[in-house]
Amino acid sequence: MKISTLLAAVALSAGLVAGGSAVANAETIYVGTYGTEAACRADGSNAPAHPDWTWWQCQQTPTGEWDLYYSSN
């Protein structure tokens, strides 16, 4: 194996480990379940101010309802 190929493989591995640890540190908070996507989005867009919550997401459940989550990443 050439040295440049070995260095590239080591750099790629280090990047994957660093990226994986950033994802692992994210905190996701379940907020509640809503009957419609519109109601979920309305509460998500009016999220209370909190310095750690950087985004919100509505996810449809198998029963057709919508779960709202806040996340720090």
Side-chain angles (χ1 to χ4, degrees):
M1 181 181 283
K2 292 183 178 180
I3 296 295
S4 60
T5 304
L6 176 63
L7 291 175
V10 169
L12 179 61
S13 297
L16 290 174
V17 170
S21 66
V23 171
N25 290 334
E27 181 180 2
T28 301
I29 301 163
Y30 167 78
V31 178
T33 301
Y34 299 82
T36 65
E37 182 180 15
C40 182
R41 289 185 170 277
D43 274 5
S45 63
N46 293 319
H50 191 283
D52 292 337
W53 298 335
T54 56
W55 65 268
W56 58 270
Q57 180 178 20
C58 291
Q59 293 181 340
Q60 191 169 24
T61 68
T63 61
E65 296 175 311
W66 293 84
D67 289 342
L68 175 60
Y69 296 92
Y70 296 151
S71 180
S72 62
N73 189 16

